[in-house]
């Protein structure tokens, strides 16, 4: 090589011998190079386990997927660009024209929307079932039912589901069960251990933990489903940036710390709100007295920072006044980060009025309680 342009164009990415860091390296790649023609021609065979093309994964992707599989207790994990993409991936893998899928009435809104629009257009039928169905889910099965979606607790209204009962009924008919486990993560609920076939989570929430990335994951109980998920993700052209993987990896060591702290603070907040004269309904399953506490106590190991409530004076003007008086809880969508947030949503029909959702962050709990107490004090009761 005699020209500097050739030297500059050559590969520069050897990992130096003897370099050991606690931090995961960030590897960017579209092209992967091969030592000989035989390896090049056989590259597809290692698409699920090794390196063949950037889309199939770099060491950074594998490091995150591996850690998430450990978090899920031995599952096999595929990374996708968002929580919603994880839901679309499971549907795309399992459902085709003529198939039928069941969704609880408490399901995350965009899951319902994508089922009603894209999947309906592609010939997939759906039925919405009551989140309280439990073993009675069997009443909703049809000849062509392939999949039951679950979500517990629901991320606005916090209804819980009897997952083991739903799994037993579905598996008796060879129907798969998927869960949106974003609320609890596998630290709170070991969905795969409970028999669920596919556990999805929005890493955007607690795993990322700092409100600065979007990513999703699907974990499957068995290797064969994992391969099929990976093939489907490839067909859909899903790809996740290694920079985002790095951020998600950075969230993992503090995941338990953050969730334990946010859970403890949210429990204090729920106890405070429960006794406040301005509050009508409070939704937080870890709180004794919540309508779903029995399920939470039976199946879950950890809570989180997300709770919701209604005001007795449930008009928008009153809600605007309350939100404007808050200083530490800022108005914003999404949750799972270290910052305290508040969101306002219309209640699901037939209920009317507004639901207020608090995400309790890592700020000192006494400051958070004072913030909410002062803002509620500004309201007429
Ligand atoms: C946020 C969220 C999602 C979607 O995650 P994105 O990464 O924002 O697409 C899915 N399910 C639940 C329960 C969520 O809260």
């Amino acid at each position: 090589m005699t020209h500097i342009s050739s030297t500059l164009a050559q590969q520069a990415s050897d990992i130096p011998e003897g370099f050991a860091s606690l931090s995961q390296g960030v590897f960017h790649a579209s092209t992967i190079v091969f030592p000989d023609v035989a390896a090049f021609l056989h590259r597809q065979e290692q698409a699920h386990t090794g390196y063949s093309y950037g889309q199939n994964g770099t060491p950074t992707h594998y490091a995150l997927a591996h850690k998430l599989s450990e978090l899920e207790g031995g599952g096999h994990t595929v990374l996708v660009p968002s929580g919603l993409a994880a839901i679309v991936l499971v549907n795309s893998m399992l459902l085709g024209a003529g198939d039928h899928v069941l969704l609880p009435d408490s399901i995350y809104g965009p899951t319902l929307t994508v089922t009603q629009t894209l999947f309906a257009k592609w010939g997939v039928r759906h039925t919405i079932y009551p989140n309280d169905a439990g073993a009675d889910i069997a009443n909703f099965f049809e000849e062509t039912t392939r999949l039951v979606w679950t979500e517990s607790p629901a991320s606005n209204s916090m209804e819980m589901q009897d997952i083991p009962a739903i799994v037993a009924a579905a598996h008796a008919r060879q129907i798969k069960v998927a869960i949106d486990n974003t609320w609890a993560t596998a630290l709170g609920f070991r969905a795969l251990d409970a028999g669920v076939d596919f556990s999805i989570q929005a890493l955007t929430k607690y795993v990322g933990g700092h409100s600065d990335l979007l990513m999703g994951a699907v974990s499957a109980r068995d290797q064969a489903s994992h391969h099929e998920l990976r093939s489907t993700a490839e067909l859909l052209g899903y790809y996740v940036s290694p920079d985002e993987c790095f951020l998600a990896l950075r969230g993992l060591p503090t995941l338990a710390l953050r969730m334990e702290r946010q859970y403890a603070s949210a429990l204090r907040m729920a106890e405070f709100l429960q006794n406040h004269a301005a509050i009508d309904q409070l939704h937080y399953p870890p709180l004794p007295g919540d309508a779903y506490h029995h399920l939470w106590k039976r199946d879950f190991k950890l809570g989180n920072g997300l709770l919701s409530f209604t005001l007795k004076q449930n008009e928008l003007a009153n809600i605007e006044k309350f939100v404007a008086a808050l200083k530490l809880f800022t108005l914003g969508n999404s949750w799972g980060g270290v910052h305290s947030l508040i969101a306002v949503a219309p209640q699901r029909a037939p209920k009317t009025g507004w639901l207020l959702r608090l995400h309790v962050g890592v700020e000192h709990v006494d400051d958070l309680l004072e913030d909410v107490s002062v803002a509620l004090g500004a309201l007429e009761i």
Side-chain angles (χ1 to χ4, degrees):
M1 255 187 308
T2 52
H3 296 93
I4 185 65
S5 55
S6 302
T7 307
L8 293 177
Q10 289 304 296
Q11 191 176 6
S13 69
D14 287 339
I15 305 173
E17 188 83 23
F19 173 72
S21 163
L22 286 170
S23 174
Q24 169 65 45
V26 179
F27 294 93
H28 292 92
S30 53
T31 300
I32 309 286
V33 295
F34 298 89
D36 52 43
V37 171
F40 180 76
L41 293 177
H42 288 102
R43 67 190 183 282
Q44 277 308 329
E45 286 161 26
Q46 53 179 33
H48 295 318
T49 49
Y51 306 107
S52 60
Y53 184 52
Q55 193 202 25
N56 303 119
T58 69
T60 316
H61 296 93
Y62 279 107
L64 176 59
H66 183 71
K67 278 265 190 260
L68 292 171
S69 298
E70 284 186 304
L71 172 62
E72 294 287 339
H76 306 272
T77 302
V78 177
L79 305 173
V80 295
S82 68
L84 184 57
I87 292 153
V88 169
L89 177 62
V90 172
N91 280 357
S92 303
M93 172 187 155
L94 291 175
L95 305 172
D99 289 340
H100 178 242
V101 57
L102 287 167
L103 307 173
D105 50 13
S106 53
I107 195 87
Y108 175 66
T111 306
L112 178 60
T113 307
V114 75
T115 308
Q116 287 171 329
T117 55
L118 280 185
F119 288 95
K121 187 172 86 176
W122 295 330
V124 175
R125 293 174 39 260
H126 71 276
T127 302
I128 296 168
Y129 69 91
N131 65 279
D132 288 333
D136 291 340
I137 189 78
N139 297 334
F140 296 85
F141 293 160
E142 298 180 11
E143 272 308 301
T144 56
T145 306
R146 301 272 174 262
L147 173 65
V148 180
W149 270 105
T150 61
E151 183 179 333
S152 182
S155 62
N156 269 341
S157 39
M158 313 292 154
E159 293 96 342
M160 292 194 66
Q161 299 194 260
D162 190 339
I163 304 295
I166 291 174
V167 166
H171 285 179
R173 293 274 299 270
Q174 272 78 52
I175 295 168
K176 301 282 189 196
V177 179
I179 189 168
D180 184 335
N181 204 25
T182 301
W183 194 97
T185 80
L187 289 181
F189 180 55
R190 294 281 286 250
L192 299 183
D193 289 353
V196 170
D197 301 286
F198 300 96
S199 173
I200 79 100
Q201 58 174 321
L203 305 177
T204 309
K205 308 290 163 57
Y206 277 111
V207 170
H210 296 78
S211 311
D212 54 8
L213 73 95
L214 278 117
M215 206 190 295
V218 183
S219 298
R221 282 231 314 279
D222 63 290
Q223 189 92 50
S225 298
H226 177 245
H227 280 190
E228 214 178 319
L229 282 170
R230 283 197 55 137
S231 303
T232 309
E234 198 178 324
L235 289 171
L236 288 167
Y238 280 173
Y239 173 72
V240 170
S241 150
D243 293 316
E244 311 272 275
C245 290
F246 176 83
L247 288 176
L249 277 162
R250 188 146 86 169
L252 282 175
T254 58
L255 177 64
L257 275 178
R258 286 183 283 110
M259 282 187 73
E260 281 162 14
R261 167 71 175 265
Q262 290 175 260
Y263 165 41
S265 297
L267 202 51
R268 290 272 310 275
M269 182 66 72
E271 283 161 359
F272 166 75
L273 292 173
Q274 187 182 31
N275 299 316
H276 199 286
I279 305 299
D280 185 13
Q281 305 253 315
L282 175 67
H283 308 291
Y284 190 56
L287 185 72
D290 183 274
Y292 294 94
H293 184 67
H294 61 293
L295 287 178
W296 188 85
K297 207 167 163 210
R298 189 190 71 184
D299 296 341
F300 280 50
K301 289 195 293 219
L302 184 68
N304 73 4
L306 201 65
L307 55 95
S308 62
F309 60 93
T310 55
L311 293 175
K312 281 195 184 127
Q313 303 284 332
N314 199 341
E315 308 85 40
L316 202 51
N318 210 39
I319 283 160
E320 281 170 344
K321 203 162 152 189
F322 170 64
V323 172
L326 290 167
K327 291 196 165 61
L328 289 176
F329 287 86
T330 46
L331 254 180
N333 237 333
S334 201
W335 46 277
V338 291
H339 316 280
S340 286
L341 291 170
I342 183 160
V344 183
Q347 296 221 84
R348 198 173 65 246
K351 288 184 180 172
T352 55
W354 302 89
L355 193 66
L356 288 162
R357 189 181 71 185
L358 291 184
H359 181 249
V360 177
V362 301
E363 302 89 344
H364 198 286
V365 65
D366 291 344
D367 293 337
L368 295 174
L369 288 169
E370 187 186 311
D371 196 32
V372 172
S373 172
V374 168
L376 286 176
L379 304 178
E380 292 157 37
I381 294 167

